[in-house]
Amino acid sequence: MRQKFVAAAVLSFSLGVLGPLVSLPTQAAAAQVVRIDDLGPTKSAVFIDSPSMGKIIQVQVLHPMGGGARPSYYLLDGLDPGVAQSTWTNATDAESFFASKDVNVVLPVGGQASYYTDWQQDDPRFGRYRWETFLTEELPPIIDARFGGNGVNAIGGLSMGGNAAFILAARNPELYRAVAGYSACPDTGLAQAAMLFSIANRGGDPMRMWGLPGGPAWSEHDPALLAERLRGKTIYLSTGTGIPGPYENEFKPQLAENIFLGGPVEVGVNACTVSFEQRLRLLGIPVHVDYRPNGTHSWSYWEDTLHASWPTIGPAIGA
Protein backbone atom coordinates (compact mmCIF):
# COMPACT_ATOMS: atom_id res chain seq x y z
CA MET A 1 0.00 0.00 0.00
CA ARG A 2 2.85 2.37 0.87
CA GLN A 3 4.51 1.53 -2.45
CA LYS A 4 1.35 2.49 -4.34
CA PHE A 5 1.09 5.78 -2.45
CA VAL A 6 4.70 6.73 -3.21
CA ALA A 7 4.33 5.83 -6.88
CA ALA A 8 1.12 7.85 -7.20
CA ALA A 9 2.73 10.85 -5.55
CA VAL A 10 5.78 10.75 -7.82
CA LEU A 11 3.72 10.31 -10.98
CA SER A 12 1.32 13.07 -9.99
CA PHE A 13 4.09 15.57 -9.25
CA SER A 14 6.10 14.74 -12.34
CA LEU A 15 3.31 14.87 -14.87
CA GLY A 16 1.75 17.83 -13.16
CA VAL A 17 4.88 19.80 -13.92
CA LEU A 18 4.64 18.77 -17.35
CA GLY A 19 -24.21 19.00 -13.66
CA PRO A 20 -23.91 15.22 -14.26
CA LEU A 21 -21.95 13.82 -17.18
CA VAL A 22 -23.93 12.36 -20.06
CA SER A 23 -22.39 9.55 -22.11
CA LEU A 24 -22.41 9.96 -25.86
CA PRO A 25 -23.85 6.99 -27.73
CA THR A 26 -21.53 4.85 -29.79
CA GLN A 27 -22.27 5.08 -33.52
CA ALA A 28 -22.40 1.82 -35.40
CA ALA A 29 -21.92 3.26 -38.89
CA ALA A 30 -18.90 1.92 -40.76
CA ALA A 31 -15.89 4.15 -41.16
CA GLN A 32 -14.92 5.05 -44.72
CA VAL A 33 -11.48 5.40 -46.28
CA VAL A 34 -11.20 8.87 -47.82
CA ARG A 35 -7.83 8.24 -49.44
CA ILE A 36 -4.55 6.35 -49.06
CA ASP A 37 -1.24 8.12 -49.72
CA ASP A 38 1.80 5.98 -50.49
CA LEU A 39 4.65 7.44 -48.43
CA GLY A 40 7.08 4.79 -49.59
CA PRO A 41 7.16 1.13 -50.64
CA THR A 42 6.48 0.00 -47.06
CA LYS A 43 4.62 3.00 -45.57
CA SER A 44 1.14 4.36 -46.26
CA ALA A 45 -1.01 7.12 -44.80
CA VAL A 46 -4.69 6.22 -44.54
CA PHE A 47 -7.26 8.98 -44.05
CA ILE A 48 -10.45 7.63 -42.49
CA ASP A 49 -13.81 9.34 -42.05
CA SER A 50 -14.71 8.21 -38.54
CA PRO A 51 -18.43 8.26 -37.63
CA SER A 52 -17.66 8.02 -33.92
CA MET A 53 -15.22 10.95 -33.93
CA GLY A 54 -17.10 12.99 -36.50
CA LYS A 55 -13.92 13.85 -38.41
CA ILE A 56 -11.16 12.43 -40.58
CA ILE A 57 -8.42 10.56 -38.71
CA GLN A 58 -5.03 9.81 -40.19
CA VAL A 59 -3.46 6.41 -39.52
CA GLN A 60 -0.07 5.49 -40.92
CA VAL A 61 0.74 1.86 -41.63
CA LEU A 62 4.14 0.19 -41.97
CA HIS A 63 3.68 -2.91 -44.09
CA PRO A 64 5.72 -5.43 -46.10
CA MET A 65 6.17 -4.95 -49.83
CA GLY A 66 4.76 -8.36 -50.74
CA GLY A 67 1.23 -9.69 -50.55
CA GLY A 68 -0.31 -12.33 -48.32
CA ALA A 69 -2.11 -12.26 -45.01
CA ARG A 70 -0.26 -11.04 -41.93
CA PRO A 71 -0.88 -9.99 -38.31
CA SER A 72 -1.09 -6.38 -37.15
CA TYR A 73 0.61 -4.53 -34.30
CA TYR A 74 -1.24 -1.40 -33.17
CA LEU A 75 1.39 0.92 -31.71
CA LEU A 76 0.22 3.95 -29.73
CA ASP A 77 1.94 7.26 -29.04
CA GLY A 78 2.51 9.23 -25.83
CA LEU A 79 0.80 12.27 -24.32
CA ASP A 80 2.03 14.62 -27.04
CA PRO A 81 1.79 12.59 -30.26
CA GLY A 82 3.06 13.68 -33.63
CA VAL A 83 0.81 15.85 -35.78
CA ALA A 84 1.89 14.77 -39.27
CA GLN A 85 3.13 11.33 -38.28
CA SER A 86 3.47 9.09 -35.26
CA THR A 87 6.39 9.96 -33.01
CA TRP A 88 7.39 6.30 -33.27
CA THR A 89 8.50 6.95 -36.86
CA ASN A 90 9.81 10.44 -36.13
CA ALA A 91 11.89 9.67 -33.03
CA THR A 92 12.87 6.00 -33.43
CA ASP A 93 14.01 3.59 -36.13
CA ALA A 94 10.63 1.79 -36.11
CA GLU A 95 10.25 2.19 -39.87
CA SER A 96 13.51 0.44 -40.73
CA PHE A 97 13.17 -2.03 -37.85
CA PHE A 98 9.85 -3.38 -39.13
CA ALA A 99 10.72 -3.17 -42.84
CA SER A 100 11.88 -6.79 -42.95
CA LYS A 101 9.12 -8.17 -40.73
CA ASP A 102 5.87 -9.74 -41.94
CA VAL A 103 3.54 -7.55 -39.91
CA ASN A 104 1.40 -4.44 -40.31
CA VAL A 105 2.38 -1.78 -37.79
CA VAL A 106 -0.61 0.51 -37.30
CA LEU A 107 0.23 4.02 -36.07
CA PRO A 108 -2.65 6.39 -35.24
CA VAL A 109 -1.77 10.07 -35.68
CA GLY A 110 -3.05 12.56 -33.10
CA GLY A 111 -4.95 12.12 -29.85
CA GLN A 112 -3.08 14.44 -27.50
CA ALA A 113 -3.76 13.52 -23.85
CA SER A 114 -6.64 11.32 -25.04
CA TYR A 115 -5.58 8.07 -23.37
CA TYR A 116 -7.02 6.59 -26.58
CA THR A 117 -10.36 6.13 -24.86
CA ASP A 118 -13.99 7.14 -25.36
CA TRP A 119 -14.57 10.35 -23.45
CA GLN A 120 -17.97 10.81 -21.85
CA GLN A 121 -18.25 14.37 -23.10
CA ASP A 122 -16.81 16.48 -25.91
CA ASP A 123 -14.01 18.71 -24.69
CA PRO A 124 -13.64 22.43 -25.59
CA ARG A 125 -9.91 21.95 -26.19
CA PHE A 126 -9.78 18.51 -27.81
CA GLY A 127 -13.22 18.13 -29.35
CA ARG A 128 -14.71 14.65 -29.61
CA TYR A 129 -12.55 11.79 -28.41
CA ARG A 130 -13.94 8.33 -29.19
CA TRP A 131 -10.64 6.57 -29.63
CA GLU A 132 -11.65 3.19 -28.21
CA THR A 133 -14.53 2.91 -30.68
CA PHE A 134 -12.28 4.01 -33.53
CA LEU A 135 -9.39 1.68 -32.66
CA THR A 136 -11.41 -1.41 -31.79
CA GLU A 137 -14.45 -1.21 -34.08
CA GLU A 138 -13.84 1.12 -37.02
CA LEU A 139 -10.16 0.66 -37.81
CA PRO A 140 -9.46 -3.11 -37.70
CA PRO A 141 -11.78 -4.02 -40.62
CA ILE A 142 -10.05 -1.37 -42.74
CA ILE A 143 -6.57 -2.63 -41.88
CA ASP A 144 -7.57 -6.22 -42.59
CA ALA A 145 -9.25 -5.36 -45.89
CA ARG A 146 -6.69 -2.88 -47.26
CA PHE A 147 -3.43 -4.29 -45.87
CA GLY A 148 -3.97 -8.04 -45.72
CA GLY A 149 -4.54 -8.23 -41.99
CA ASN A 150 -5.43 -11.75 -40.90
CA GLY A 151 -7.36 -10.74 -37.77
CA VAL A 152 -4.49 -11.56 -35.40
CA ASN A 153 -3.53 -8.44 -33.45
CA ALA A 154 -1.28 -7.10 -30.74
CA ILE A 155 -1.35 -3.64 -29.17
CA GLY A 156 1.36 -1.64 -27.48
CA GLY A 157 2.39 1.88 -26.62
CA LEU A 158 4.70 4.13 -24.67
CA SER A 159 3.75 6.08 -21.56
CA MET A 160 0.12 7.23 -22.11
CA GLY A 161 -0.13 4.89 -25.09
CA GLY A 162 1.08 1.99 -22.97
CA ASN A 163 -1.54 2.69 -20.33
CA ALA A 164 -4.12 2.81 -23.12
CA ALA A 165 -2.86 -0.42 -24.70
CA PHE A 166 -3.54 -2.33 -21.49
CA ILE A 167 -6.92 -0.63 -21.02
CA LEU A 168 -7.97 -1.51 -24.56
CA ALA A 169 -6.70 -5.08 -24.24
CA ALA A 170 -8.53 -5.62 -20.95
CA ARG A 171 -11.76 -4.14 -22.30
CA ASN A 172 -11.55 -5.91 -25.67
CA PRO A 173 -9.80 -9.19 -24.84
CA GLU A 174 -11.05 -10.96 -27.95
CA LEU A 175 -9.25 -8.50 -30.21
CA TYR A 176 -5.62 -8.84 -29.05
CA ARG A 177 -3.29 -11.76 -28.46
CA ALA A 178 -0.48 -9.67 -26.97
CA VAL A 179 -0.04 -6.33 -25.23
CA ALA A 180 3.06 -4.24 -24.53
CA GLY A 181 3.76 -1.18 -22.42
CA TYR A 182 6.98 0.81 -22.71
CA SER A 183 7.44 2.95 -19.58
CA ALA A 184 3.71 2.66 -18.90
CA CYS A 185 1.64 2.46 -15.73
CA PRO A 186 -1.24 0.07 -16.47
CA ASP A 187 -2.72 0.46 -12.98
CA THR A 188 -5.32 3.20 -13.56
CA GLY A 189 -6.04 3.53 -9.85
CA LEU A 190 -2.38 4.18 -9.15
CA ALA A 191 -1.99 6.53 -12.12
CA GLN A 192 -5.28 8.40 -11.62
CA ALA A 193 -3.88 11.65 -10.23
CA ALA A 194 -1.14 11.73 -12.87
CA MET A 195 -3.69 11.20 -15.63
CA LEU A 196 -5.86 14.05 -14.36
CA PHE A 197 -2.86 16.39 -14.15
CA SER A 198 -1.57 15.43 -17.59
CA ILE A 199 -4.90 16.20 -19.28
CA ALA A 200 -5.37 19.51 -17.43
CA ASN A 201 -1.77 20.48 -18.13
CA ARG A 202 -2.52 20.29 -21.86
CA GLY A 203 -5.67 22.39 -21.65
CA GLY A 204 -8.30 19.67 -21.43
CA ASP A 205 -10.98 19.06 -18.82
CA PRO A 206 -10.16 15.66 -17.24
CA MET A 207 -13.66 15.36 -15.80
CA ARG A 208 -14.96 14.95 -19.34
CA MET A 209 -13.04 11.73 -19.86
CA TRP A 210 -14.46 9.22 -17.35
CA GLY A 211 -16.25 11.56 -14.97
CA LEU A 212 -15.32 12.27 -11.39
CA PRO A 213 -12.37 10.36 -9.91
CA GLY A 214 -13.55 7.30 -8.08
CA GLY A 215 -16.62 6.97 -10.28
CA PRO A 216 -17.55 3.65 -11.90
CA ALA A 217 -16.00 4.51 -15.28
CA TRP A 218 -12.56 4.69 -13.69
CA SER A 219 -12.91 1.15 -12.37
CA GLU A 220 -14.20 0.03 -15.77
CA HIS A 221 -10.94 1.25 -17.33
CA ASP A 222 -8.49 -0.16 -14.77
CA PRO A 223 -6.37 -3.09 -16.05
CA ALA A 224 -5.34 -3.91 -12.49
CA LEU A 225 -8.99 -4.57 -11.62
CA LEU A 226 -9.68 -6.20 -15.00
CA ALA A 227 -6.51 -8.29 -14.93
CA GLU A 228 -8.35 -11.60 -15.38
CA ARG A 229 -9.25 -10.43 -18.89
CA LEU A 230 -5.53 -10.38 -19.70
CA ARG A 231 -5.13 -14.05 -18.88
CA GLY A 232 -3.87 -16.04 -21.83
CA LYS A 233 -2.29 -13.02 -23.54
CA THR A 234 1.41 -12.45 -24.04
CA ILE A 235 2.26 -9.48 -21.82
CA TYR A 236 5.39 -7.32 -22.03
CA LEU A 237 6.41 -4.36 -19.86
CA SER A 238 9.62 -2.35 -19.66
CA THR A 239 10.86 0.37 -17.34
CA GLY A 240 14.00 2.22 -16.34
CA THR A 241 14.79 3.50 -12.86
CA GLY A 242 15.06 7.22 -13.57
CA ILE A 243 18.82 7.16 -12.97
CA PRO A 244 20.64 8.78 -15.92
CA GLY A 245 21.94 6.11 -18.25
CA PRO A 246 24.01 5.92 -21.44
CA TYR A 247 21.76 8.24 -23.45
CA GLU A 248 22.18 10.98 -20.85
CA ASN A 249 25.89 11.00 -21.71
CA GLU A 250 25.00 12.36 -25.17
CA PHE A 251 24.71 16.10 -25.73
CA LYS A 252 21.27 16.87 -27.22
CA PRO A 253 18.70 19.69 -26.91
CA GLN A 254 16.34 17.64 -24.71
CA LEU A 255 19.04 16.44 -22.30
CA ALA A 256 17.96 18.64 -19.37
CA GLU A 257 14.30 17.69 -19.86
CA ASN A 258 15.16 13.99 -20.00
CA ILE A 259 17.09 14.20 -16.73
CA PHE A 260 15.03 16.62 -14.64
CA LEU A 261 11.54 15.63 -15.85
CA GLY A 262 12.02 12.23 -17.48
CA GLY A 263 14.01 10.95 -14.51
CA PRO A 264 11.34 11.51 -11.84
CA VAL A 265 8.55 10.30 -14.15
CA GLU A 266 10.42 7.04 -14.74
CA VAL A 267 10.86 6.57 -10.99
CA GLY A 268 7.07 6.56 -10.65
CA VAL A 269 6.65 4.31 -13.69
CA ASN A 270 9.12 1.84 -12.22
CA ALA A 271 7.23 1.60 -8.94
CA CYS A 272 3.94 1.20 -10.82
CA THR A 273 5.41 -1.54 -13.01
CA VAL A 274 6.60 -3.46 -9.96
CA SER A 275 3.14 -3.18 -8.41
CA PHE A 276 1.36 -4.25 -11.60
CA GLU A 277 3.69 -7.20 -12.10
CA GLN A 278 2.99 -8.33 -8.53
CA ARG A 279 -0.74 -8.08 -9.22
CA LEU A 280 -0.45 -10.30 -12.31
CA ARG A 281 1.81 -12.86 -10.64
CA LEU A 282 -0.53 -13.05 -7.64
CA LEU A 283 -3.23 -14.11 -10.11
CA GLY A 284 -0.90 -16.55 -11.84
CA ILE A 285 -0.82 -14.51 -15.07
CA PRO A 286 2.59 -14.67 -16.79
CA VAL A 287 4.28 -11.39 -17.72
CA HIS A 288 7.66 -10.54 -19.22
CA VAL A 289 9.19 -7.43 -17.64
CA ASP A 290 12.43 -5.78 -18.75
CA TYR A 291 13.85 -3.86 -15.80
CA ARG A 292 16.70 -1.60 -16.87
CA PRO A 293 19.19 -0.58 -14.14
CA ASN A 294 19.00 3.04 -15.33
CA GLY A 295 17.24 5.16 -17.95
CA THR A 296 14.82 8.07 -18.09
CA HIS A 297 11.37 8.57 -19.61
CA SER A 298 12.68 9.29 -23.10
CA TRP A 299 12.70 8.08 -26.68
CA SER A 300 16.15 6.53 -26.94
CA TYR A 301 15.19 3.95 -24.33
CA TRP A 302 11.83 3.28 -25.99
CA GLU A 303 13.58 2.51 -29.26
CA ASP A 304 15.74 -0.02 -27.41
CA THR A 305 12.78 -1.64 -25.68
CA LEU A 306 10.77 -1.76 -28.90
CA HIS A 307 13.55 -3.95 -30.26
CA ALA A 308 13.78 -5.93 -27.03
CA SER A 309 10.03 -6.57 -26.96
CA TRP A 310 9.76 -8.04 -30.42
CA PRO A 311 11.06 -11.55 -29.56
CA THR A 312 8.13 -11.66 -27.11
CA ILE A 313 5.39 -9.89 -29.11
CA GLY A 314 6.26 -11.12 -32.61
CA PRO A 315 5.96 -14.88 -31.98
CA ALA A 316 2.73 -14.34 -30.03
CA ILE A 317 1.02 -13.11 -33.20
CA GLY A 318 2.95 -15.26 -35.66
CA ALA A 319 5.07 -12.44 -37.09
Side-chain angles (χ1 to χ4, degrees), residues 91-287:
T92 78
D93 66 352
E95 190 170 347
S96 60
F97 177 71
F98 284 109
S100 60
K101 296 172 176 55
D102 193 25
V103 63
N104 296 320
V105 181
V106 184
L107 303 160
V109 177
Q112 183 185 38
S114 66
Y115 287 89
Y116 295 103
T117 191
D118 285 0
W119 285 38
Q120 292 182 345
Q121 288 186 322
D122 293 353
D123 184 77
R125 168 72 173 83
F126 300 129
R128 178 161 298 179
Y129 273 166
R130 302 287 291 176
W131 280 100
E132 179 173 349
T133 298
F134 177 74
L135 290 170
T136 65
E137 298 179 23
E138 296 175 351
L139 183 58
I142 291 173
I143 297 300
D144 291 350
R146 299 297 184 108
F147 295 94
N150 62 7
V152 176
N153 306 305
I155 189 166
L158 79 302
S159 193
M160 175 193 84
N163 295 20
F166 275 83
I167 293 169
L168 291 169
R171 288 173 55 83
N172 304 274
E174 72 290 343
L175 192 56
Y176 308 106
R177 290 192 185 177
V179 56
Y182 311 98
S183 294
C185 179
D187 187 326
T188 298
L190 185 56
Q192 182 181 90
M195 294 170 72
L196 295 171
F197 272 114
S198 66
I199 294 169
N201 189 48
R202 284 151 181 83
D205 179 355
M207 299 301 110
R208 293 175 182 266
M209 186 169 71
W210 298 327
L212 294 174
W218 284 84
S219 298
E220 293 164 3
H221 293 82
D222 190 342
L225 298 179
L226 304 176
E228 278 294 342
R229 299 186 186 181
L230 299 174
R231 188 179 299 278
K233 301 188 187 307
T234 296
I235 302 172
Y236 175 92
L237 285 166
S238 65
T239 178
T241 59
I243 299 171
Y247 295 116
E248 281 67 54
N249 293 326
E250 303 173 353
F251 180 77
K252 46 194 172 184
Q254 64 271 36
L255 179 60
E257 178 183 354
N258 289 353
I259 293 174
F260 296 110
L261 179 59
V265 170
E266 199 70 5
V267 171
V269 166
N270 183 277
C272 180
T273 300
V274 171
S275 176
F276 191 72
E277 179 192 11
Q278 291 173 346
R279 167 68 173 158
L280 293 181
R281 297 202 185 281
L282 182 65
L283 295 172
I285 299 174
V287 54

